[in-house]
Amino acid sequence: MVQNHGKKKRAKQRAQRAGAGHQPSVTNTLHTHEPLPDMAVLSLVPHGAGRALDVDLAARLVAACRARCGPCQKSLATKVRQNRPTLAALAGVVFGLLPTVGVLASAATREWAPLARDAKARNSGAEALAAVEAMTDEQVSELLEDALDHWAAGGVPEEQIAGLIKFVGTDGPAGAHVHAEPDTGLMEGMLPYVDGWQINHTLATKVVSAVWAGCDSCQEKLTPQVVADRATLAGLAGAVFLTPAHAPRQETPAAGPVARAWIEQAHGKSRTSGAETVLRAVAELDEDDAEDLLEEALDVWDDSGAAQAGIGLGSIRQVPPRQRPADPMDTFRAAGIEVITLDDLDVDLDGIDTYHLAENYGVFIGQTATLEGRPMPMLTLYPETEGAGIQDLEHRTDWAHWGLHGVPDMDPHWRLRANIADRALQGLVHVGPDGEDDIELWRAAEKVSLPAEWWDLLDQVQHVLVAGPVKEGSHQALQAAGDAGELLAVVARVTFT
């Protein structure tokens, strides 16, 4: 459904960035965009490989992007494309820091980003610049457009970016080490469940984020901790090697014989009776073989693209949630009419099932795809009570409007619970700050085993795109709601129980 829409999405972003354009004055007055950003930050990254950079040109282009001036962007971008060191530095500031380029990035950017991260880690940009200089005009244009999408977002002052660049991959005077890390609960629901084994999800998240950031010092420090924590190691390795999509890997001849044997044994065992045996076998590996297995697993995590989609410079600061519609009861309160809710009553709700006190939904399963063509499970909501619908979802959730194109944001607080023994879904809930469910949109009335193909996909991706509401449980209704702009959506985690 969302496959092959990358170019369309990037074109839309470019149009939003360019705006209607500002025409130069007919009196030949100099056309500028103030204030110009301080682009001295370009000299802090190695991607220009020591070549002369046109910092003023880069500043004027970024300023034109932030002002949405199409004519200036067009003329200045042409000059930047001809100045490959400046382009490499401009893109290197962005993609040398980010753990992932996001699902909307072009193929040229996705191929170049690992070189950008490696250049930052090694403080040598010769290879990254050589790759930019070897690009075609079309590839250079794609790389520049992707970089400008981040620069145009703004949100983070250039001096703050400069400070982040200075500290990435270095130790401060107090031993402080800084690089962008995802939510420390990122791995919850992503690593395979093993009864009785306590996985350290925070440790798993830190080592994977260090890999995504290309931070060798953090990897070196964290590797012994993961090797010693065999449950966490088994989870990290099992997440990538138990599934047919990732293992066994023919391109890992460097793996030792024990690690290769484990990988081959693990292949295809996800959610089978043999999975637990394979995972528990990690505990029997000696330290060298365990470290070998971890290195192989982290290589796959590095290539997985599983980092947060669409992370950018502007997302370093917290973005406020979409404003919810006003409470309809406020109208009565404004008119002087007393409104009494359950919260106002001194009622002990312990032991009372509050699920049926709110609006409820039914669900049907489906499948979509990321912009890179990777399959992704999908769950669609339809109303089961009279008040259920888009206004109810807008009031109770922070989901974004979705038009069937692209991938909505992932919210780790939304959980789709699935029962392993029955291969059945249990419910869709939002987990509050206290760890308790504070919103329950759907609860399974009975256990229904899912189709094997869909369950296997759910197990592999361990996230699900949730969309709704539709008028009835059909894919035709989903398409109609999307065309009418009446869909909300979120990417939720899957929690296996």
Side-chain angles (χ1 to χ4, degrees), residues 195-215:
D195 188 25
W197 273 29
Q198 183 64 42
I199 295 177
N200 187 334
H201 291 100
T202 299
L203 176 60
T205 303
K206 286 184 176 180
V207 70
V208 171
S209 66
V211 169
W212 283 337
C215 180

PDB file of all heavy atoms in Angstrom, residues 195-215:
ATOM      1  N   ASP A 195      11.140 -17.693  28.547  1.00  0.00           N
ATOM      2  CA  ASP A 195      10.563 -17.840  29.872  1.00  0.00           C
ATOM      3  C   ASP A 195      11.651 -17.980  30.929  1.00  0.00           C
ATOM      4  O   ASP A 195      12.528 -18.841  30.829  1.00  0.00           O
ATOM      5  CB  ASP A 195       9.647 -19.070  29.896  1.00  0.00           C
ATOM      6  CG  ASP A 195       8.865 -19.157  31.202  1.00  0.00           C
ATOM      7  OD1 ASP A 195       8.660 -18.101  31.822  1.00  0.00           O
ATOM      8  OD2 ASP A 195       8.474 -20.281  31.587  1.00  0.00           O
ATOM      9  N   GLY A 196      11.607 -17.100  31.923  1.00  0.00           N
ATOM     10  CA  GLY A 196      12.551 -17.191  33.030  1.00  0.00           C
ATOM     11  C   GLY A 196      13.838 -16.425  32.845  1.00  0.00           C
ATOM     12  O   GLY A 196      14.641 -16.327  33.779  1.00  0.00           O
ATOM     13  N   TRP A 197      14.095 -15.879  31.664  1.00  0.00           N
ATOM     14  CA  TRP A 197      15.318 -15.110  31.405  1.00  0.00           C
ATOM     15  C   TRP A 197      14.999 -13.624  31.456  1.00  0.00           C
ATOM     16  O   TRP A 197      14.073 -13.154  30.772  1.00  0.00           O
ATOM     17  CB  TRP A 197      15.900 -15.468  30.038  1.00  0.00           C
ATOM     18  CG  TRP A 197      16.827 -16.647  30.088  1.00  0.00           C
ATOM     19  CD1 TRP A 197      16.776 -17.684  30.971  1.00  0.00           C
ATOM     20  CD2 TRP A 197      17.928 -16.894  29.217  1.00  0.00           C
ATOM     21  NE1 TRP A 197      17.776 -18.564  30.698  1.00  0.00           N
ATOM     22  CE2 TRP A 197      18.512 -18.122  29.632  1.00  0.00           C
ATOM     23  CE3 TRP A 197      18.481 -16.233  28.138  1.00  0.00           C
ATOM     24  CZ2 TRP A 197      19.608 -18.680  29.007  1.00  0.00           C
ATOM     25  CZ3 TRP A 197      19.572 -16.779  27.503  1.00  0.00           C
ATOM     26  CH2 TRP A 197      20.144 -17.997  27.935  1.00  0.00           C
ATOM     27  N   GLN A 198      15.774 -12.901  32.220  1.00  0.00           N
ATOM     28  CA  GLN A 198      15.556 -11.467  32.363  1.00  0.00           C
ATOM     29  C   GLN A 198      16.502 -10.716  31.433  1.00  0.00           C
ATOM     30  O   GLN A 198      17.706 -10.634  31.691  1.00  0.00           O
ATOM     31  CB  GLN A 198      15.789 -11.032  33.815  1.00  0.00           C
ATOM     32  CG  GLN A 198      15.501  -9.560  34.069  1.00  0.00           C
ATOM     33  CD  GLN A 198      14.034  -9.213  33.855  1.00  0.00           C
ATOM     34  OE1 GLN A 198      13.147  -9.956  34.247  1.00  0.00           O
ATOM     35  NE2 GLN A 198      13.773  -8.079  33.214  1.00  0.00           N
ATOM     36  N   ILE A 199      15.980 -10.181  30.337  1.00  0.00           N
ATOM     37  CA  ILE A 199      16.793  -9.417  29.393  1.00  0.00           C
ATOM     38  C   ILE A 199      16.959  -7.988  29.898  1.00  0.00           C
ATOM     39  O   ILE A 199      16.000  -7.360  30.348  1.00  0.00           O
ATOM     40  CB  ILE A 199      16.143  -9.417  27.995  1.00  0.00           C
ATOM     41  CG1 ILE A 199      16.127 -10.828  27.406  1.00  0.00           C
ATOM     42  CG2 ILE A 199      16.869  -8.468  27.053  1.00  0.00           C
ATOM     43  CD1 ILE A 199      15.440 -10.920  26.064  1.00  0.00           C
ATOM     44  N   ASN A 200      18.175  -7.483  29.832  1.00  0.00           N
ATOM     45  CA  ASN A 200      18.453  -6.096  30.190  1.00  0.00           C
ATOM     46  C   ASN A 200      18.220  -5.234  28.945  1.00  0.00           C
ATOM     47  O   ASN A 200      19.123  -5.036  28.124  1.00  0.00           O
ATOM     48  CB  ASN A 200      19.895  -5.961  30.684  1.00  0.00           C
ATOM     49  CG  ASN A 200      20.196  -4.576  31.229  1.00  0.00           C
ATOM     50  OD1 ASN A 200      19.555  -3.591  30.842  1.00  0.00           O
ATOM     51  ND2 ASN A 200      21.174  -4.482  32.120  1.00  0.00           N
ATOM     52  N   HIS A 201      16.997  -4.722  28.791  1.00  0.00           N
ATOM     53  CA  HIS A 201      16.646  -3.974  27.587  1.00  0.00           C
ATOM     54  C   HIS A 201      17.408  -2.663  27.488  1.00  0.00           C
ATOM     55  O   HIS A 201      17.696  -2.191  26.384  1.00  0.00           O
ATOM     56  CB  HIS A 201      15.135  -3.721  27.546  1.00  0.00           C
ATOM     57  CG  HIS A 201      14.324  -4.954  27.330  1.00  0.00           C
ATOM     58  ND1 HIS A 201      13.691  -5.615  28.356  1.00  0.00           N
ATOM     59  CD2 HIS A 201      14.062  -5.664  26.203  1.00  0.00           C
ATOM     60  CE1 HIS A 201      13.059  -6.676  27.875  1.00  0.00           C
ATOM     61  NE2 HIS A 201      13.267  -6.727  26.573  1.00  0.00           N
ATOM     62  N   THR A 202      17.736  -2.073  28.640  1.00  0.00           N
ATOM     63  CA  THR A 202      18.509  -0.829  28.600  1.00  0.00           C
ATOM     64  C   THR A 202      19.904  -1.080  28.043  1.00  0.00           C
ATOM     65  O   THR A 202      20.403  -0.330  27.199  1.00  0.00           O
ATOM     66  CB  THR A 202      18.609  -0.225  30.008  1.00  0.00           C
ATOM     67  OG1 THR A 202      17.296   0.073  30.482  1.00  0.00           O
ATOM     68  CG2 THR A 202      19.438   1.057  29.992  1.00  0.00           C
ATOM     69  N   LEU A 203      20.559  -2.151  28.495  1.00  0.00           N
ATOM     70  CA  LEU A 203      21.876  -2.502  27.979  1.00  0.00           C
ATOM     71  C   LEU A 203      21.811  -2.830  26.494  1.00  0.00           C
ATOM     72  O   LEU A 203      22.669  -2.399  25.707  1.00  0.00           O
ATOM     73  CB  LEU A 203      22.432  -3.700  28.760  1.00  0.00           C
ATOM     74  CG  LEU A 203      23.779  -4.274  28.287  1.00  0.00           C
ATOM     75  CD1 LEU A 203      24.868  -3.208  28.372  1.00  0.00           C
ATOM     76  CD2 LEU A 203      24.151  -5.498  29.114  1.00  0.00           C
ATOM     77  N   ALA A 204      20.785  -3.587  26.092  1.00  0.00           N
ATOM     78  CA  ALA A 204      20.634  -3.930  24.677  1.00  0.00           C
ATOM     79  C   ALA A 204      20.461  -2.684  23.830  1.00  0.00           C
ATOM     80  O   ALA A 204      21.051  -2.556  22.740  1.00  0.00           O
ATOM     81  CB  ALA A 204      19.440  -4.871  24.492  1.00  0.00           C
ATOM     82  N   THR A 205      19.677  -1.741  24.312  1.00  0.00           N
ATOM     83  CA  THR A 205      19.444  -0.507  23.570  1.00  0.00           C
ATOM     84  C   THR A 205      20.725   0.299  23.436  1.00  0.00           C
ATOM     85  O   THR A 205      21.019   0.841  22.370  1.00  0.00           O
ATOM     86  CB  THR A 205      18.371   0.344  24.272  1.00  0.00           C
ATOM     87  OG1 THR A 205      17.178  -0.415  24.399  1.00  0.00           O
ATOM     88  CG2 THR A 205      18.075   1.613  23.490  1.00  0.00           C
ATOM     89  N   LYS A 206      21.504   0.370  24.502  1.00  0.00           N
ATOM     90  CA  LYS A 206      22.728   1.163  24.471  1.00  0.00           C
ATOM     91  C   LYS A 206      23.738   0.593  23.472  1.00  0.00           C
ATOM     92  O   LYS A 206      24.376   1.346  22.724  1.00  0.00           O
ATOM     93  CB  LYS A 206      23.340   1.231  25.863  1.00  0.00           C
ATOM     94  CG  LYS A 206      22.585   2.149  26.819  1.00  0.00           C
ATOM     95  CD  LYS A 206      23.289   2.249  28.161  1.00  0.00           C
ATOM     96  CE  LYS A 206      22.573   3.237  29.071  1.00  0.00           C
ATOM     97  NZ  LYS A 206      23.243   3.347  30.391  1.00  0.00           N
ATOM     98  N   VAL A 207      23.894  -0.732  23.453  1.00  0.00           N
ATOM     99  CA  VAL A 207      24.901  -1.290  22.552  1.00  0.00           C
ATOM    100  C   VAL A 207      24.458  -1.170  21.098  1.00  0.00           C
ATOM    101  O   VAL A 207      25.267  -0.886  20.207  1.00  0.00           O
ATOM    102  CB  VAL A 207      25.227  -2.757  22.922  1.00  0.00           C
ATOM    103  CG1 VAL A 207      24.082  -3.691  22.601  1.00  0.00           C
ATOM    104  CG2 VAL A 207      26.504  -3.215  22.211  1.00  0.00           C
ATOM    105  N   VAL A 208      23.161  -1.338  20.835  1.00  0.00           N
ATOM    106  CA  VAL A 208      22.682  -1.197  19.459  1.00  0.00           C
ATOM    107  C   VAL A 208      22.759   0.260  19.004  1.00  0.00           C
ATOM    108  O   VAL A 208      23.142   0.549  17.867  1.00  0.00           O
ATOM    109  CB  VAL A 208      21.249  -1.746  19.326  1.00  0.00           C
ATOM    110  CG1 VAL A 208      20.669  -1.404  17.952  1.00  0.00           C
ATOM    111  CG2 VAL A 208      21.235  -3.259  19.524  1.00  0.00           C
ATOM    112  N   SER A 209      22.414   1.188  19.885  1.00  0.00           N
ATOM    113  CA  SER A 209      22.494   2.605  19.502  1.00  0.00           C
ATOM    114  C   SER A 209      23.941   3.018  19.275  1.00  0.00           C
ATOM    115  O   SER A 209      24.234   3.872  18.439  1.00  0.00           O
ATOM    116  CB  SER A 209      21.843   3.492  20.563  1.00  0.00           C
ATOM    117  OG  SER A 209      22.560   3.446  21.779  1.00  0.00           O
ATOM    118  N   ALA A 210      24.887   2.418  20.024  1.00  0.00           N
ATOM    119  CA  ALA A 210      26.297   2.702  19.785  1.00  0.00           C
ATOM    120  C   ALA A 210      26.720   2.209  18.412  1.00  0.00           C
ATOM    121  O   ALA A 210      27.510   2.858  17.717  1.00  0.00           O
ATOM    122  CB  ALA A 210      27.158   2.046  20.869  1.00  0.00           C
ATOM    123  N   VAL A 211      26.174   1.061  18.000  1.00  0.00           N
ATOM    124  CA  VAL A 211      26.459   0.534  16.659  1.00  0.00           C
ATOM    125  C   VAL A 211      25.877   1.462  15.603  1.00  0.00           C
ATOM    126  O   VAL A 211      26.537   1.791  14.613  1.00  0.00           O
ATOM    127  CB  VAL A 211      25.892  -0.888  16.509  1.00  0.00           C
ATOM    128  CG1 VAL A 211      25.944  -1.347  15.060  1.00  0.00           C
ATOM    129  CG2 VAL A 211      26.667  -1.860  17.383  1.00  0.00           C
ATOM    130  N   TRP A 212      24.644   1.880  15.786  1.00  0.00           N
ATOM    131  CA  TRP A 212      24.009   2.781  14.828  1.00  0.00           C
ATOM    132  C   TRP A 212      24.769   4.106  14.731  1.00  0.00           C
ATOM    133  O   TRP A 212      24.839   4.720  13.669  1.00  0.00           O
ATOM    134  CB  TRP A 212      22.561   3.039  15.228  1.00  0.00           C
ATOM    135  CG  TRP A 212      21.638   1.907  14.903  1.00  0.00           C
ATOM    136  CD1 TRP A 212      21.817   0.941  13.972  1.00  0.00           C
ATOM    137  CD2 TRP A 212      20.387   1.626  15.534  1.00  0.00           C
ATOM    138  NE1 TRP A 212      20.761   0.061  13.979  1.00  0.00           N
ATOM    139  CE2 TRP A 212      19.859   0.461  14.919  1.00  0.00           C
ATOM    140  CE3 TRP A 212      19.653   2.220  16.545  1.00  0.00           C
ATOM    141  CZ2 TRP A 212      18.653  -0.103  15.285  1.00  0.00           C
ATOM    142  CZ3 TRP A 212      18.441   1.668  16.911  1.00  0.00           C
ATOM    143  CH2 TRP A 212      17.949   0.523  16.287  1.00  0.00           C
ATOM    144  N   ALA A 213      25.329   4.573  15.849  1.00  0.00           N
ATOM    145  CA  ALA A 213      26.060   5.837  15.856  1.00  0.00           C
ATOM    146  C   ALA A 213      27.502   5.671  15.393  1.00  0.00           C
ATOM    147  O   ALA A 213      28.227   6.653  15.247  1.00  0.00           O
ATOM    148  CB  ALA A 213      26.045   6.438  17.264  1.00  0.00           C
ATOM    149  N   GLY A 214      27.938   4.411  15.172  1.00  0.00           N
ATOM    150  CA  GLY A 214      29.316   4.162  14.772  1.00  0.00           C
ATOM    151  C   GLY A 214      30.315   4.503  15.867  1.00  0.00           C
ATOM    152  O   GLY A 214      31.438   4.912  15.588  1.00  0.00           O
ATOM    153  N   CYS A 215      29.907   4.348  17.124  1.00  0.00           N
ATOM    154  CA  CYS A 215      30.735   4.733  18.261  1.00  0.00           C
ATOM    155  C   CYS A 215      31.549   3.534  18.743  1.00  0.00           C
ATOM    156  O   CYS A 215      31.060   2.693  19.498  1.00  0.00           O
ATOM    157  CB  CYS A 215      29.850   5.266  19.383  1.00  0.00           C
ATOM    158  SG  CYS A 215      30.775   5.763  20.841  1.00  0.00           S
TER     159      CYS A 215
END
